[in-house]
Each structure stands twice: as structure tokens, then as C-alpha cells.
Amino acid sequence: SFSTAADGGTGATERVRIHQGGVMSASQGIALGVGTANTASNVLDDYEEGTWTPSLAGTWNSNPTSMSGAYRKIGQIVTLSMIWQNGAKSSSTSAHFTSLPFAPSANSTAPVSDTAVDDNGIVLCDTGGRIWTTANSFGSDNNYLTVTYISN
């Protein structure tokens, strides 16, 4: 553990810890590419990865099954991936996926990821936390989707 005290102070405050196994924690983040100048715009202070379960909303002709997802968040940038089987909607329905692990920012608009769904359509993510696809039907094998957006 590495601690410092304010000028003239007597109590030390932990700033950095190296855990058993070599993992390092820095409570205020890590400044990248700035030398000794610590500017907020260059501090990496948020990294997370995990799993999430997409939900369905709108009108589906037949619901997708076996849905699962994973995410990686670095700063405000979130990349989601999904996998599911089956499902169909008509081109005029409002069927979409919801329950994103992080709310999209107001700056995250229109096509945030131009990723094809099993080569069947374009994917859009909106600021309401919904994932839309232009594809109308999905195969019984695994269907994949990736979306990247800016979070709050």
C-alpha cells in the first residue's frame, strides 16, 4: 500500500494498493499520456465488464429465445453483445430489445453501431435505452448483435 499525507498533516491517506497476486488499485484512477500533469480528461477512472439479460418490448410475431448478453464499459463508452435464437417481427411493428446495463447519454443518438444482425439488418440504439433492428426474422441458430454507445 502507498499512502501520503497533506503538507503538515499527520494522518496518511492510502492512494495506491497492490493486492495479493499483483493487481493494483488506484482510488482516483490512472492518468494516461499526461506525464505529471493530471488532467481530468486523461484519467481512466471507470472500467467494468459483466453479463446482462436483454428484455423484449413492443410487438413480436414470435419471441426470440435463449437471450443472453455481455458488456464492457470503459469510461463512458459501453459495448454490448447479445446472442439469441429464433424470433420474428413485421417491418411495421415496434419490437425491440431493452434493459441495457447502462443508460445511453443524450449524446448517444442514431446508429451508434452499424452492425449487421446475422447479415439481416442494421442495429440502432436510442437514448431511451432501446435496441432496434431492421431485420424481420431471425434464424434458429445463434443470432449475434453488437452495439457501442455513450453512457451517462
Side-chain angles (χ1 to χ4, degrees):
S1 166
F2 175 75
S3 302
T4 61
D7 288 341
T10 57
T13 301
E14 183 180 65
R15 305 293 182 194
V16 175
R17 176 182 291 186
I18 299 175
H19 301 272
Q20 183 177 354
V23 175
M24 184 185 86
S25 300
S27 61
Q28 298 297 313
I30 299 171
L32 302 172
V34 295
T36 58
N38 181 12
T39 58
S41 62
N42 292 345
V43 173
L44 175 61
D45 59 358
D46 188 13
Y47 177 89
E48 184 179 335
E49 56 183 58
T51 59
W52 67 290
T53 303
S55 297
L56 299 174
T59 305
W60 291 83
N61 295 348
S62 65
N63 288 345
T65 58
S66 303
M67 296 185 302
S68 64
Y71 68 86
R72 178 172 289 135
K73 182 176 186 279
I74 302 172
Q76 288 183 283
I77 305 298
V78 179
T79 300
L80 304 177
S81 60
M82 281 177 56
I83 186 171
W84 74 93
Q85 289 83 38
N86 302 309
K89 66 181 192 65
S90 71
S91 59
S92 61
T93 66
S94 62
H96 55 279
F97 300 100
T98 62
S99 300
L100 278 60
F102 302 96
S105 155
N107 297 322
S108 197
T109 57
V112 291
S113 176
D114 199 28
T115 302
V117 179
D118 222 19
D119 295 326
N120 286 327
I122 304 299
V123 175
L124 305 173
C125 175
D126 68 16
T127 56
R130 297 170 290 224
I131 298 174
W132 305 85
T133 175
T134 58
N136 290 327
S137 63
F138 308 103
S140 59
D141 293 334
N142 291 336
N143 296 281
Y144 301 94
L145 172 144
T146 301
V147 173
T148 300
Y149 64 93
I150 301 169
S151 66
N152 289 324

